[in-house]
């Protein structure tokens, strides 16, 4: 899975209102992360001391520091009034680019089964509880009717964007208006669209109906800036939110778990310890509170905004050229700095399952995204996810064996390269009781991890990615149609040669047709393998790399 290499950059503030940010960045892509060699930024003295967490009960949350050295004794976690409420935050559902306005979609977030659909009357995406109040059938299996209402296909009940039932086919027209009863309404979650993503608030209680006026999702200005590219990716992950998040915060695993896929930038004077090029990393948590933490890496900063957002912002040397921003007049030469971000959105789905949304906005090489379809980027990005998927799935079960709350004791994390992972685990323990809260979803017993399926099912790409990605869905249909076309051409060519009389076509033409048939057949077989390997299943063996 993609992880973060050390960066260098000033601190970036991510707000819940849209102030414009202007942070210099360096060229960065998913597959290749080249960085300029810059002096190591100084680490403040307070980050070198072992400070205890503290929370003020009479003021805003206190920003505390944790040791930068993971070998330091575990801090005593003191009880405080400040706790993280999993159900009092906005959660992303899906990038808008991967949603079709003609159909409803079933999604699970934080154990809640919801349906997201386009309300053309209100002109917005709505999020409902995924059950019809009639017989609890899934509304996500329904349709959008000709009036733009969400219709349950079990008995035809129809609902508008406010959740009100507008039509019950079985109710007599001259009888009581039972569709107006409160129990006939669908449960509606507050929702909004921001940064090209549909978000929802995980409560249908009336007091949260206008929560958007008080609390907004985390806002990233670059995702709305036309001078930046914005290619989203989404995938269902067969291990939990905790393991997914900490893995993205771990740059040390990149040269090993992703060996042969991701190219680690070369550095002078790096000790030749092994072929993969692992080396010591100087990472440090600077501030930590219930809302997340800010971290410094060797060449930049990263930030965790609880519960879902983790992003990093590197710095590069300025490059001469014309900015693509509308603020720069046409033909005006200006020295601009190339900027890029790594943005990961980690969504808890259910115990042992999570969802990852990623996007890497940048303000250079915009032309590349105009000519290369999004699914081509996803081919390589999914391979990165696959390369450590199985070992993380197994690792999660080993962690469950010792207990989430014992992670800091069970795991030996002696180097600074684990500082961000340790910081996340300490945040999880201090503010969230070491685990995700699933509310009343598992009130009949403790949540358990699902059994491990066969490897081919565990690393499936079609149901975990393709069906959720608009670009890959179209690509699979198009490539399969091309495969069939090649087979038809091959078969038809052979039939023409076989049916033609000897004196009707020359030997040269006959040979050319046969060769074309053979080429088309071989091309169809290669294409079949390409489709299966990149859209269905691609195994990864570390031992043979």
């Amino acid at each position: 899975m993609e992880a973060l290499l050390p960066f260098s950059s000033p601190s970036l503030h991510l707000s819940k209102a849209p102030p414009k940010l202007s942070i210099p960045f360096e060229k960065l892509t998913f597959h290749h992360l080249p960085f300029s060699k810059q002096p190591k930024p100084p680490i403040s003295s307070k980050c070198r001391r072992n400070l205890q967490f503290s929370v003020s009960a009479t003021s805003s949350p206190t920003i505390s520091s944790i040791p930068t050295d993971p070998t330091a004794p575990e801090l005593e976690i003191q009880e405080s009034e400040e706790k993280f409420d999993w159900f009092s935050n906005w959660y992303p559902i899906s990038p808008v680019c991967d949603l079709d306005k003609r159909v409803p979609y079933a999604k699970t977030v934080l154990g809640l089964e919801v349906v997201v659909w386009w309300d053309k009357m209100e002109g917005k995406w709505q999020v409902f509880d995924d059950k019809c109040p009639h017989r609890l059938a899934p509304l996500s299996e329904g349709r959008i009717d000709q009036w733009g209402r969400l219709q349950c296909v079990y008995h035809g009940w129809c609902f508008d964007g406010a959740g009100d039932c507008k039509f019950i086919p079985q109710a007599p027209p001259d009888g009581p208006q039972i569709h107006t009863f409160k129990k006939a309404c669908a449960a509606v979650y507050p929702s909004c669209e921001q940064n090209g993503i549909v978000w929802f608030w995980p409560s249908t209680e009336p007091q949260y109906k206008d929560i958007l006026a008080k609390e907004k999702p985390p806002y990233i200005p670059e995702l709305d800036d036309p001078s930046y590219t914005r290619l989203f990716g989404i995938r269902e992950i067969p291990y939990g939110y905790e393991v997914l998040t900490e893995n993205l915060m771990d740059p040390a695993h990149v040269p090993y778990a992703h060996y042969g896929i991701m190219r680690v930038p070369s550095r002078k004077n790096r000790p030749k310890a092994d072929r993969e090029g692992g080396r010591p990393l100087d990472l440090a948590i600077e501030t930590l509170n219930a809302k997340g933490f800010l971290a410094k890496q060797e060449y930049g900063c990263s930030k965790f905004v609880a519960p879902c957002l983790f992003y990093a912002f590197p710095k590069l040397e300025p490059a001469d050229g014309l900015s693509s921003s509308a603020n720069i007049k046409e033909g005006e030469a200006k020295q601009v700095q190339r900027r890029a971000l790594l943005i990961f959105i980690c969504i808890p789905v259910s115990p042992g399952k999570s969802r990852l949304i990623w996007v890497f906005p940048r303000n250079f090489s915009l032309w590349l995204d105009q000519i290369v379809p999004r699914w081509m980027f996803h081919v390589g990005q999914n391979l990165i996810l696959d390369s450590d998927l199985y070992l993380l799935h197994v690792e999660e079960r080993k962690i469950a064996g010792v207990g989430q709350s014992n992670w800091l004791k069970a795991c030996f994390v002696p180097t600074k390269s684990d500082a961000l992972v340790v910081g996340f685990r300490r945040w999880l323990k201090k503010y969230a009781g070491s685990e995700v809260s699933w509310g009343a979803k598992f009130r009949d017993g403790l949540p358990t991890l699902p059994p491990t399926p066969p490897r081919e099912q565990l690393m499936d790409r079609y149901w975990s990615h393709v069906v959720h990605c608009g670009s890959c869905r179209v690509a699979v249909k198009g490539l399969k149609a091309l495969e069939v076309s090649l087979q038809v051409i091959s078969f038809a060519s052979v039939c023409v040669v076989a049916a033609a009389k000897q004196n009707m076509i020359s030997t040269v033409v006959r040979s050319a047709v046969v060769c074309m048939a053979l080429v088309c057949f071989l091309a169809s077989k290669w294409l079949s393998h390409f489709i299966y390997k990149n859209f269905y299943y691609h195994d990864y063996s570390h031992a043979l790399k």
Side-chain angles (χ1 to χ4, degrees):
M1 181 179 295
E2 169 62 1
L4 305 175
L5 297 180
F7 306 130
S8 176
S9 170
S11 174
L12 177 65
H13 172 69
L14 181 131
S15 64
K16 295 189 177 181
K20 184 65 180 175
L21 303 183
S22 179
I23 308 297
F25 292 104
E26 191 169 346
K27 179 177 180 181
L28 183 63
T29 64
F30 193 89
H31 300 284
H32 182 203
L33 309 175
F35 301 98
S36 59
K37 300 182 176 72
Q38 301 178 18
K40 184 188 298 184
I43 304 297
S44 60
S45 60
K46 70 175 183 179
C47 294
R48 301 186 183 277
R49 298 195 299 267
N50 297 343
L51 302 180
Q52 288 188 340
F53 294 107
S54 63
V55 176
S56 172
T58 59
S59 62
S60 60
T62 302
I63 295 179
S64 314
S65 298
I66 70 171
T68 59
D69 185 2
T71 61
E74 180 184 353
L75 297 178
E76 180 182 355
I77 306 299
Q78 301 176 349
E79 291 296 327
S80 68
E81 296 181 2
E82 186 180 22
K83 293 295 181 181
F84 184 78
D85 186 352
W86 291 91
F87 288 86
S88 293
N89 288 274
W90 287 95
Y91 286 86
I93 293 182
S94 173
V96 174
C97 61
D98 291 321
L99 298 176
D100 188 337
K101 293 181 179 180
R102 300 171 298 175
V103 297
Y105 291 87
K107 299 290 182 180
T108 302
V109 178
L110 209 63
L112 302 173
E113 295 173 349
V114 303
V115 54
V116 56
W117 63 284
W118 177 253
D119 179 8
K120 68 178 182 181
M121 299 300 293
E122 295 293 331
K124 62 169 291 189
W125 293 98
Q126 303 285 4
V127 180
F128 285 11
D129 192 7
D130 193 15
K131 60 185 178 184
C132 179
H134 177 213
R135 298 268 291 279
L136 308 186
L139 292 172
S140 56
E141 290 297 316
R143 65 170 68 93
I144 312 299
D145 71 7
Q146 61 266 43
W147 293 282
R149 304 172 302 191
L150 178 61
Q151 183 184 58
C152 177
V153 293
Y154 194 19
H155 293 93
W157 289 32
C158 297
F159 306 89
D160 65 9
D164 297 330
C165 184
K166 308 305 290 185
F167 179 57
I168 298 179
Q170 297 77 27
D174 55 349
Q177 300 295 303
I178 57 176
H179 69 275
T180 62
F181 290 8
K182 184 177 180 181
K183 290 194 68 174
C185 298
V188 182
Y189 293 96
S191 62
C192 69
E193 179 183 336
Q194 181 173 281
N195 285 147
I197 300 173
V198 176
W199 301 74
F200 89 111
W201 187 271
S203 177
T204 59
E205 296 298 323
Q207 62 266 32
Y208 297 110
K209 182 178 180 180
D210 299 319
I211 188 64
L212 186 61
K214 304 175 184 178
E215 189 83 8
K216 299 183 185 300
Y219 182 77
I220 304 175
E222 283 76 8
L223 291 181
D224 288 337
D225 190 335
S227 66
Y228 283 78
T229 63
R230 189 177 73 179
L231 294 182
F232 283 100
I234 184 171
R235 182 159 176 176
E236 303 291 314
I237 306 294
Y239 48 83
Y241 158 87
E242 301 93 333
V243 174
L244 172 64
T245 305
E246 71 176 33
N247 183 58
L248 293 169
M249 297 178 177
D250 174 26
H253 83 280
V254 170
Y256 298 94
H258 307 312
Y259 179 77
I261 303 176
M262 296 182 65
R263 185 168 57 179
V264 180
S266 60
R267 288 171 56 108
K268 292 182 179 180
N269 303 322
R270 183 170 65 187
K272 301 296 183 180
D274 49 38
R275 63 169 188 165
E276 292 84 3
R279 62 183 180 84
L281 301 176
D282 191 3
L283 313 180
I285 300 293
E286 288 223 312
T287 59
L288 185 147
N289 60 19
K291 296 181 179 180
F293 60 75
L294 175 67
K296 262 197 174 181
Q297 302 178 218
E298 287 183 329
Y299 292 97
C301 296
S302 57
K303 192 171 185 179
F304 169 59
V305 182
C308 298
L309 178 62
F310 179 66
Y311 67 101
F313 32 99
K315 179 182 179 181
L316 275 181
E317 296 175 352
D320 292 331
L322 295 179
S323 172
S324 55
S325 171
N327 295 328
I328 306 300
K329 295 181 180 180
E330 184 178 359
E332 179 182 356
K334 183 177 180 179
Q335 191 178 47
V336 297
Q337 288 185 320
R338 296 183 296 181
R339 307 174 183 177
L341 292 84
L342 288 176
I343 300 174
F344 301 101
I345 301 176
C346 308
I347 307 166
V349 173
S350 61
K353 295 182 179 180
S354 56
R355 182 177 302 115
L356 174 64
I357 298 174
W358 67 85
V359 58
F360 311 116
R362 67 182 188 278
N363 66 348
F364 54 89
S365 301
L366 272 64
W367 58 268
L368 185 63
D369 296 349
Q370 302 298 323
I371 63 174
V372 179
R374 189 160 57 108
W375 68 266
M376 286 190 175
F377 292 100
H378 290 175
V379 167
Q381 293 163 0
N382 275 305
L383 181 58
I384 292 174
L385 292 170
D386 285 337
S387 60
D388 59 8
L389 187 151
Y390 183 79
L391 64 93
L392 291 172
H393 176 86
V394 175
E395 175 186 299
E396 180 179 37
R397 277 137 185 81
K398 296 183 183 297
I399 294 174
V402 301
Q404 294 280 0
S405 60
N406 295 321
W407 186 94
L408 290 168
K409 295 180 180 178
C411 296
F412 181 51
V413 283
T415 67
K416 291 183 177 181
S417 64
D418 293 312
L420 272 63
V421 177
V422 172
F424 171 71
R425 283 291 177 173
R426 284 178 171 157
W427 172 87
L428 194 67
K429 183 173 184 178
K430 178 176 176 61
Y431 297 106
S434 297
E435 59 186 6
V436 177
S437 172
W438 304 105
K441 180 68 176 180
F442 303 98
R443 57 178 175 270
D444 296 331
L446 294 176
T448 57
L449 296 177
T452 299
R455 190 179 181 97
E456 186 169 346
Q457 181 179 342
L458 182 69
M459 300 179 68
D460 162 78
R461 284 194 188 179
Y462 184 80
W463 294 105
S464 66
H465 171 72
V466 174
V467 296
H468 304 282
C469 173
S471 179
C472 290
R473 287 196 303 267
V474 173
V476 168
K477 291 180 180 179
L479 292 174
K480 282 187 173 181
L482 178 59
E483 178 191 353
V484 173
S485 300
L486 291 171
Q487 292 173 352
V488 170
I489 293 174
S490 177
F491 179 76
S493 300
V494 172
C495 291
V496 168
V497 171
K501 296 181 179 180
Q502 185 69 28
N503 58 353
M504 290 183 63
I505 56 176
S506 66
T507 304
V508 174
V509 173
R510 185 184 298 271
S511 300
V513 172
V514 171
C515 289
M516 182 181 68
L518 179 61
V519 169
C520 289
F521 175 76
L522 294 176
S524 70
K525 300 300 290 184
W526 176 88
L527 190 58
S528 176
H529 175 72
F530 177 85
I531 293 171
Y532 180 76
K533 185 176 182 180
N534 291 290
F535 297 103
Y536 287 89
Y537 172 69
H538 189 163
D539 198 3
Y540 187 93
S541 175
H542 292 272
L544 300 178
K545 291 295 180 179

